[in-house]
Amino acid sequence: VANKPTTPEIIGYVFVEFDKGELADKQRELVQRGLLIVLFGLLILAALAVAMADNLARPVMRLVQAVNNMSSGKLDTRVSITSSGELGVLENGFNQMAARIEEVHLSMQSRIEEATAQLAFQARHDALTGLLNRRGFDAQTNHDLALARRSGRPLSIITVDVDHFKRSNDTHGHDVGDQVLQRLAATLATRLRQSDVVARLGGEEFAVLLPDTDLEGARTIAQELVDSQACLGYPVIGGLTISAGVSTLRGAEDTAQELLRRGDMALYQAKREGRNCVVVQA
């Protein structure tokens, strides 16, 4: 007999109840963990971004500071080459530029100092003879006069003028006259002590400053200069003589201008007495 399908027999019911609150708690926990993981990842990304930005900004800030230092006059400023790529090229380029600017500055400074020294020399010296000019002689006289006053030591001046210089100049020309003045300047300089000072006051007039020299000592030196010049021959014009006036410091109230004025008075007196001689103005 074939088996006939049977209808399942229901013998009862089973009810399963889920706690939705516990499921919601699990859901919240999973969401919170996910948020924490995302937040932690964002923090790590932010830290990495700050570090990268700092690594990029630090060499740029060093360059900015270096440029500020250069603009304030610190031309020896250099930056450390710590970067690679374009920033490294920029750092190296800045150092090369700074080195060139410093080199040019030092060169210009040297030229300025040289030009300043040359101008200062020219301001105090005669271009033709190389001796002190009137300005330089006045400054040196004031200096030595102050020393003489403090120490109580003597100080004298000899003023010298070439006899008949204008007539010789008109006859033989200014070039020959310049040669005469140059040779006379050299003669005066070589026949004096190292401490003595020779100057060309202008034209054919010269002056000699004699520290630690009294009136008689100055008279002796002046006479030696006059005698040596009288024995000295010049090409083209032959012999040429000089006249000399001597003055000495009288006291603490004496000035450089007064000392030179008395020397000029003595020189004019020597001219009136026939030239080629020495006159003393005590």
Side-chain angles (χ1 to χ4, degrees):
V1 179
N3 292 330
K4 295 182 178 179
T6 59
T7 301
E9 183 179 359
I10 299 173
I11 58 174
Y13 293 93
V14 177
F15 293 94
V16 178
E17 185 177 357
F18 292 97
D19 188 353
K20 293 184 179 180
E22 183 179 354
L23 182 60
D25 291 340
K26 292 291 184 180
Q27 262 185 328
R28 281 195 299 271
E29 184 179 353
L30 288 174
V31 170
Q32 288 174 351
R33 287 182 180 179
L35 290 175
L36 287 175
I37 292 172
V38 171
L39 180 61
F40 183 72
L42 290 175
L43 290 175
I44 292 176
L45 290 175
L48 290 174
V50 170
M52 291 177 64
D54 184 62
N55 287 335
L56 291 174
R58 191 177 299 130
V60 174
M61 293 304 298
R62 284 202 303 268
L63 285 170
V64 171
Q65 184 61 45
V67 170
N68 290 334
N69 290 340
M70 289 284 292
S71 64
S72 65
K74 300 177 181 178
L75 301 183
D76 58 345
T77 300
R78 302 291 186 273
V79 294
S80 300
I81 302 177
T82 58
S83 305
S84 59
E86 288 78 2
L87 282 176
V89 173
L90 187 60
E91 290 169 345
N92 185 60
F94 174 85
N95 285 344
Q96 292 179 355
M97 178 194 69
R100 180 58 181 163
I101 290 175
E102 184 180 20
E103 179 184 350
V104 171
H105 173 76
L106 292 176
S107 177
M108 291 181 61
Q109 189 68 27
S110 176
R111 292 181 183 180
I112 290 172
E113 290 174 356
E114 182 179 347
T116 301
Q118 185 175 1
L119 288 174
F121 180 88
Q122 291 174 351
R124 293 170 57 91
H125 289 78
D126 174 56
L128 178 64
T129 63
L131 300 177
L132 286 177
N133 58 18
R134 179 61 181 265
R135 177 185 295 180
F137 185 75
D138 287 345
Q140 187 64 47
T141 302
N142 285 322
H143 175 267
D144 287 6
L145 185 60
L147 292 179
R149 285 170 178 165
R150 288 198 297 268
S151 64
R153 302 182 70 84
L155 178 70
S156 298
I157 281 181
I158 302 173
T159 53
V160 175
D161 190 271
V162 181
D163 296 332
H164 302 297
F165 181 75
K166 184 178 184 304
R167 184 173 65 189
S168 175
N169 228 18
D170 293 341
T171 302
H172 302 287
H174 292 286
D175 289 342
V176 173
D178 288 347
Q179 293 174 18
V180 169
L181 296 177
Q182 290 172 333
R183 188 171 181 184
L184 175 59
T187 302
L188 294 176
T190 55
R191 289 185 174 273
L192 295 169
R193 302 167 300 181
Q194 188 174 3
S195 58
D196 300 334
V197 178
V198 189
R200 182 189 177 198
L201 301 184
E204 68 273 22
E205 185 176 358
F206 294 78
V208 181
L209 184 63
L210 304 170
D212 297 329
T213 307
D214 58 15
L215 190 62
E216 287 305 314
R219 183 207 301 267
T220 300
I221 294 173
Q223 191 62 57
E224 290 175 354
L225 294 176
V226 170
D227 292 343
S228 66
Q229 187 65 26
C231 299
L232 191 62
Y234 288 86
V236 181
I237 65 174
L240 201 65
T241 62
I242 60 174
S243 300
V246 179
S247 64
T248 192
L249 181 64
R250 289 176 174 175
E253 72 285 351
D254 222 348
T255 65
Q257 290 76 14
E258 179 63 21
L259 190 61
L260 187 58
R261 186 189 68 82
R262 292 200 304 272
D264 283 338
M265 290 176 58
L267 175 61
Y268 298 148
Q269 182 63 32
K271 293 286 189 179
R272 288 192 293 269
E273 292 184 6
R275 297 180 173 84
N276 191 29
C277 64
V278 176
V279 170
V280 174
Q281 181 76 31

